[in-house]
Amino acid sequence: MNDLVKPSDAALGLVHSWLEDNGVPTSNCKHSPAKDWIKVSLSVNAIENLLDTQYSVFEHVEGGYLVRAPEWSLPEHLHEHITAIQPTTSFFSPQKLGRTFKEVLDISSDTPPPSTNDPPRNTDPAIKAACNASLVTPLCLRTLYGTLNYTVQSADKNSIGLNDFLGESNNRSDTKNFLHKYRLDAETGADLFKVQIIANGNDEQTQENATELAAGKDMEGNLDSETILSMSFPTPLIAYSTGGSPPFTPDLLTPTNTNEPYLEWLNFVLNQTDVPHVISTSYADDEQSVPFSYAQSVCSGFGQLGARGVTLFFGSGDSGVGPEGDCVSNDGTNASTFLAMFPTSCPFITSVGATKFIPEIVATDGSNDFVSGGGFSRYFARPLWQDAVVVPYVKALGTQFSGLYNASGRAYPDLAAQGYHYSTIWNGSLHPLDGTSASTPTVASIFSLVNDHLIANNKSAMGFLNPWLYSVGYKGFMDVVNGSAIGCGTTGFPAKEGWDAVTGFGTPWFPSLKDLALNVSATVVTR
Amino acid sequence: MLTSIGLTAFLAVLAAASPLRLRSPYAVKESHPVPRKWSRVGPAPADHVINLQIGLKQGNFDELERHLYEGTYSSKSGDYH
């Protein structure tokens, strides 16, 4: 793998010479294993000289600061050798805004619609007994998706990872309370999971202070650790906590951390020999908030992980095709557009949408403006393996939404799972949460169990999932056909029979998926 | 032809000898509009420290990417490894 991504020696030499000419000795540079990334800590002043640029402090309308440079330069002879330098032009660093989950404000206001024409799974009395749409529990998810009776066999050879960014961490005490309440046999999981700190990430386990409570710190983190442990225990869990982009206080002039969190995490993980087979990430931002070079670099890093046998799951976003009022292009033309989300738009990861109720429909929640995200990348072309289902979907749309999306782009999500009114313990009490942030760890856990089954049968883990998903794996999903990715003042992409740009192939049925993954004949799920 | 031989020789010297530095004028490499929800509030403090990440052109990623795009690279497409 490193051989494929290694830059030429000549290119590396030219870049080192340029850095040395600018007072940056090669000994101060840290290199990725393939030497395709150089990391160096420098002052704003030094970088401004190096890149003939100017850094500024930028403030987000909803709060939060970043230090960025929207334009930068290089000596002409280096243009062909350097593809990206960050943090410069990338505004990917959501504070509160990008956390793709929403706290439910009122759990009594929603009632499931009357169900008609129930598919077999949805009339299963065990599921009806286990599931209550106003509060989704691990028992419901494990019954609904068929993992309840599966026994983990390969815990010594398998693991699952989750990502914390933006100062989030996973509170062990809350996680333990959750497991005690919902999955007693997994309670020790709260003590056992590992935390890997990257670039001054956070692993605070003490009581949150008033500011942190007001900000909902660790809600996202707890949702992830509680969901994953309750679904995949005793599979070992590792939480990566990567620093970067905490509140920057411009008037204090303190050297706070304005790192670019995804690149920090990627370069750390690519440098590890032992990486979990499945990693769940619940963070996203508008694709157009990052330059193409950045998106491509990060996405290519994900591709490297996929090729190394790691399956990456990302939430598809929580605002349908885009939040109303924000659906405008960022290129100066102010054209109306649906807003694709990144990293979920990267074709080398598996994108997860959200459903609610039984039978499952597209998840929406009027109380907090949550709508499961779906759409088409403006940056990444549609991969070959999507053609068979996405081309007919686009064709069936006809001229609807024409010009608002890139019909030849990578379409997402690839699949979906429940993402509505999840029971979560935070700060010692129960908080039902919505979001693709809930769906993502659920799907990640289910595929971690598929890997467990494969490893127990002396097979390797799934790795890059999508080509298999679109050629074989889709048969193990339950189609979702009602609802749409409402947003940008439109109804958004509709759920339809077969693949669609709001629930992908639908929701997983583990008993079929584990058989399909082993290449044995499986009972195909039908509606 | 002469030019190309000359260039080859020049590049060979460049690769072998460290004191020779290639220099060229600066030109804008990348410009990206500031997203609508962000606005500039002032200059960055000069001594603020940033972890700068410099991405070099990957020698042969195109090949891996082609396999990923075409789906010929997948652990479940036949070859367990």
Side-chain angles (χ1 to χ4, degrees), chain A residues 156-296:
Chain A
D156 56 330
K157 295 177 192 136
N158 192 21
S159 62
I160 180 168
L162 68 81
N163 267 326
D164 294 312
F165 292 108
L166 312 174
E168 282 292 298
S169 58
N170 316 93
N171 187 277
R172 289 186 193 273
S173 163
D174 283 340
T175 304
K176 194 162 197 158
N177 283 342
F178 178 90
L179 294 170
H180 184 82
K181 186 177 169 84
Y182 293 110
R183 194 171 166 195
L184 196 54
D185 64 313
E187 192 177 343
T188 56
D191 303 316
L192 294 175
F193 74 84
K194 288 185 206 158
V195 177
Q196 176 64 57
I197 305 286
I198 302 167
N200 303 313
N202 180 39
D203 183 28
E204 181 188 84
Q205 293 294 336
T206 51
Q207 172 64 43
E208 279 94 354
N209 62 34
T211 311
E212 290 169 339
L213 288 177
K217 182 186 174 302
D218 293 353
M219 269 194 188
E220 172 74 49
N222 287 4
L223 174 61
D224 290 338
S225 57
E226 292 171 5
T227 302
I228 288 175
L229 285 168
S230 66
M231 295 204 57
S232 64
F233 183 83
T235 306
L237 167 65
I238 180 166
Y240 296 101
S241 186
T242 306
S245 313
F248 174 82
T249 315
D251 50 353
L252 291 181
L253 299 182
T254 46
T256 26
N257 186 342
T258 55
N259 297 332
E260 211 307 309
Y262 267 102
L263 282 175
E264 292 278 0
W265 175 76
L266 245 185
N267 280 321
F268 177 88
V269 172
L270 283 169
N271 205 5
Q272 305 297 301
T273 48
D274 198 16
V275 180
H277 288 306
V278 166
I279 299 175
S280 173
T281 311
S282 300
Y283 295 79
D285 197 0
D286 296 346
E287 194 183 59
Q288 68 175 5
S289 74
V290 304
F292 175 68
S293 67
Y294 167 89
Q296 192 180 37

Side-chain angles (χ1 to χ4, degrees), chain A residues 8 25 32 36 42 115 154 163 181 188 223 248-249 262 269 295 306 315 319-320 333 341-342 394 397 401 450 477:
Chain A
S8 71
S32 64
D36 56 332
L42 293 171
S115 64
S154 315
N163 267 326
K181 186 177 169 84
T188 56
L223 174 61
F248 174 82
T249 315
Y262 267 102
V269 172
S319 300
T333 64
M341 301 297 285
F342 183 78
V394 168
L397 286 175
F401 311 132
V450 171
F477 286 80

